[in-house]
Amino acid sequence: MSTIKDITSIEAWNDHVSSLPASTLLIVSFHAPWAAPCAQMATVLKTLASEYPITEPLSTSWVSIDAEELSEISETYNVTAVPFLVLARNSQVLETVSGSSAVKVRNAIETHAKNSAQSGTEASEKTSAIANGAATAEGQAGDVVPQDPEKQKEELFRRLGDLVKAAPVMLFMKGTPSEPKCGFSRQLVAILRENAVKYGFFNILADDEVRQGLKEFADWPTYPQLWVDGELVGGLDIVKEELANDADFFKPYSVKANGDASAGQS
């Protein structure tokens, strides 16, 4: 499966881009460490990347760039806010997505990745011609999924299965840890911080497909939801009960040694 490569220098960026076949879809995620939505987007992209196998020639390539540290690259792609996604092939930008909409990001990647799969066996000089015909190919492929609810549900559940295991402790909440949008989510964030738990989070308000689908996937109708090692613990009340019965419930996931639980959010 594909993974996301951190680009930390201009030289590393140039080397990476020059090594790619002309048919490869390059997926570039611009982020900033201080922006909470970037942490959520990192989780989304990690899950999406895992769904794409490593092929020969390479069909997709996933990289992550700190927009502030490598401002020269950011300026090249007119990055003015983060998270910001750039999809490119053969040095040509195909599409950009600004913001933290997981649905828009997933749709954009799936659309252009299909083109990569179709063009992977073509000679590099034909790449631009295939790209010009992409709209037709997208229409033909894109019409299939909505007509098959069972397949759509299967794909959603596979995605949810990856999301709940994106970190050893995953919190599905309304809002973000820095800006919770409900009292229950705020209280659960406080509990995790009090116990110095390293955790990932997902803002279900930013993705209605996940918000509705996870209720059925988990057989749990409300939020927040806390997952540990891919298994549902429950909501705020259940977490409080677990701690009342076992004060060391979160001990295996504690980062008290370095005293910074928030650094582990993804």
Side-chain angles (χ1 to χ4, degrees), residues 32-52:
W34 47 263
C38 292
Q40 175 181 324
M41 185 53 61
T43 301
V44 172
L45 290 173
K46 180 181 178 181
T47 301
L48 287 172
S50 69
E51 298 175 3
Y52 289 84

Side-chain angles (χ1 to χ4, degrees), residues 49-228:
S50 69
E51 298 175 3
Y52 289 84
I54 298 175
T55 59
E56 182 62 40
L58 199 62
S59 59
T60 61
S61 176
W62 306 67
V63 300
S64 177
I65 294 176
D66 187 318
E68 294 181 334
E69 290 293 326
L70 298 179
S71 58
E72 291 180 36
I73 302 176
S74 301
E75 291 172 4
T76 300
Y77 292 101
N78 298 316
V79 179
T80 58
V82 289
F84 191 88
L85 196 76
V86 174
L87 303 180
R89 181 184 291 115
N90 199 20
S91 300
Q92 294 187 347
V93 175
L94 304 174
E95 186 173 349
T96 62
V97 181
S98 180
S100 57
S101 172
V103 173
K104 290 182 180 179
V105 166
R106 186 177 69 256
N107 288 343
I109 292 174
E110 288 180 350
T111 294
H112 296 292
K114 288 174 183 175
N115 286 338
S116 288
Q118 293 167 351
S119 62
T121 57
E122 298 290 337
S124 61
E125 61 266 24
K126 295 182 180 180
T127 302
S128 59
I130 293 172
N132 290 335
T136 301
E138 289 167 21
Q140 293 172 344
D143 291 339
V144 177
V145 175
Q147 295 175 354
D148 189 348
E150 287 301 318
K151 183 177 180 181
Q152 195 172 23
K153 181 178 178 180
E154 180 181 334
E155 292 177 352
L156 173 60
F157 273 29
R158 183 170 61 250
R159 179 188 170 209
L160 293 174
D162 290 333
L163 274 176
V164 299
K165 293 181 288 188
V169 178
M170 276 294 295
L171 174 61
F172 292 83
M173 62 180 294
K174 294 181 179 180
T176 66
S178 58
E179 294 184 18
K181 298 300 183 182
C182 80
F184 296 124
S185 292
R186 183 177 294 106
Q187 290 184 59
L188 196 38
V189 166
I191 289 174
L192 292 173
R193 286 178 174 168
E194 287 169 7
N195 288 272
V197 176
K198 183 177 181 179
Y199 66 99
F201 71 89
F202 192 98
N203 177 10
I204 53 97
L205 298 180
D207 190 330
D208 194 60
E209 187 177 39
V210 170
R211 181 181 185 178
Q212 301 303 328
L214 192 58
K215 293 178 182 179
E216 183 179 357
F217 180 83
D219 194 20
W220 193 269
T222 59
Y223 292 99
Q225 291 183 16
L226 189 72
W227 292 71
V228 174

Side-chain angles (χ1 to χ4, degrees), residues 235-247:
L236 177 63
D237 290 343
I238 301 299
V239 171
K240 286 182 175 179
E241 288 179 12
E242 292 287 355
L243 284 171
N245 294 329
D246 180 8

Side-chain angles (χ1 to χ4, degrees), residues 5-43:
K5 178 180 181 180
D6 287 324
I7 299 294
T8 57
S9 69
I10 299 295
E11 182 181 4
W13 165 253
N14 291 334
D15 288 346
H16 184 78
V17 172
S18 63
S19 71
L20 296 177
S23 60
T24 300
L25 176 65
L26 177 61
I27 300 151
V28 188
S29 172
F30 289 92
H31 64 89
W34 47 263
C38 292
Q40 175 181 324
M41 185 53 61
T43 301

